[in-house]
């Protein structure tokens, strides 16, 4: 029996047109798709994205539960999280043992705060000889930069990419130390973030981008009034040295909408 491979694939920020050619080829070739979801009863956003670009008919599709709980580097996760990771890994190993290549789509790029590396680490702990390949995806911040015509960093500027869920102390020190700060996962903590930006004098330097590159995209440059109900796909870019004003707006009809009831993963 042939040695099968798990392919951990970045889907990009949400627009299926931003899947790489390599991702499309690999997803098309793999007979098994194992996609992460954030709640047991929800659906997978990564699966919703790739299903707009890849024909899933005839493929075996699993939606694997990965609890959305805080993971701290160097510390063991909660038992519920470890148990879910092991269950997901066991499902994938069973397919690989049958000689079936498996594709695991994950939002953005697998290298940036991704479920994919937790799966990879769990797999290695269970089967050190497992074959895994990573496929880079376009990160959300790159798409946000393109949509706003605003650079992430130039010249000798320093860049920080952090979750907005960090403590006030850590966020404040980051805001004060770096030239450009990209904040991810801002949708649940936006009022707190706007307060910190105002306190540090950076509120006017911030741009919020929702659903970058997709239908329903919204770019908010004035955060003096906090937007209500920000979308899960929201990223904030703060440029201490300012940005560029894009004089146009783009039609988002070319990219199909992500179903409203899916769980983000």
């Amino acid at each position: 029996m042939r040695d099968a491979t798990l392919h951990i694939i970045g889907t990009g920020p949400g627009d299926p047109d931003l899947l790489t050619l390599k991702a499309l080829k690999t997803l098309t070739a793999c007979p098994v798709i194992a996609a992460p979801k954030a709640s047991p009863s929800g659906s997978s956003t990564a699966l919703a994205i790739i299903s707009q670009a890849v024909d899933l008919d005839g493929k075996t599709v699993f939606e694997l539960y990965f609890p959305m709980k805080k993971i701290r580097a160097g510390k063991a996760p909660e038992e519920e999280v470890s148990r879910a990771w092991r269950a997901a890994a066991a499902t994938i190993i069973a397919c690989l043992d049958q000689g079936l290549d498996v594709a695991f789509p994950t939002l953005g790029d697998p290298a940036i705060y991704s479920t994919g590396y937790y799966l990879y680490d769990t797999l290695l702990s269970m089967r050190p000889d497992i074959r895994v390949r990573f496929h880079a995806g376009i990160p959300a911040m790159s798409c946000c930069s393109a949509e706003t015509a605003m650079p992430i960093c130039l010249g000798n500027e320093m860049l920080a990419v952090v979750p907005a869920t960090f403590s006030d102390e850590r966020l404040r020190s980051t805001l004060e130390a770096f030239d450009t700060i990209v904040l991810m996962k801002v949708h649940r903590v936006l009022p707190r973030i706007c307060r910190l930006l105002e306190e540090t004098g950076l509120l006017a330097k911030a741009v919020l981008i929702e659903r970058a590159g997709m239908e329903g995209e919204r770019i908010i440059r004035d955060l003096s009034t906090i937007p209500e109900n920000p979308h899960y796909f929201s990223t904030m870019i703060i440029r201490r040295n300012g940005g560029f004003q894009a004089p146009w707006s783009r039609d988002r009809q070319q990219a199909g909408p992500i179903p409203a009831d899916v769980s983000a993963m």
Side-chain angles (χ1 to χ4, degrees), residues 29-166:
C30 285
V32 179
I33 307 292
K37 63 179 182 179
S39 68
S41 59
S43 301
S44 168
T45 299
L47 183 63
I49 293 168
I50 67 168
S51 66
Q52 297 176 67
V54 178
D55 185 1
L56 301 182
D57 287 346
K59 296 184 184 294
T60 300
V61 178
F62 297 100
E63 293 186 64
L64 306 175
Y65 173 46
F66 285 77
M68 291 190 72
K69 296 196 173 184
K70 282 188 178 181
I71 310 297
R72 300 188 183 278
K75 295 185 178 180
E78 296 179 22
E79 177 55 32
E80 177 194 356
V81 175
S82 293
R83 186 166 55 248
W85 291 355
R86 291 193 298 269
T91 298
I92 290 171
I93 287 171
C95 296
L96 297 174
D97 284 346
Q98 296 175 55
L100 301 173
D101 287 341
V102 179
F104 182 87
T106 182
L107 295 181
D109 181 88
I112 303 174
Y113 298 114
S114 167
T115 306
Y117 269 97
Y118 298 132
L119 174 63
Y120 179 54
D121 186 56
T122 304
L123 283 165
L124 289 181
S125 71
M126 297 168 67
R127 289 277 293 274
D129 61 336
I130 213 81
R131 289 165 54 100
V132 180
R133 292 197 64 187
F134 284 86
H135 302 269
I138 295 174
M141 63 180 174
S142 295
C143 185
C144 290
S145 172
E147 292 302 300
T148 57
M150 184 172 67
I152 296 290
C153 46
L154 297 171
N156 63 345
E157 295 174 341
M158 294 196 304
L159 166 67
V161 182
V162 297
T165 52
F166 277 5

Side-chain angles (χ1 to χ4, degrees), residues 1-16:
M1 183 180 297
R2 64 183 290 272
D3 290 332
T5 301
L6 169 64
H7 297 269
I8 297 177
I9 299 171
T11 67
D15 180 352

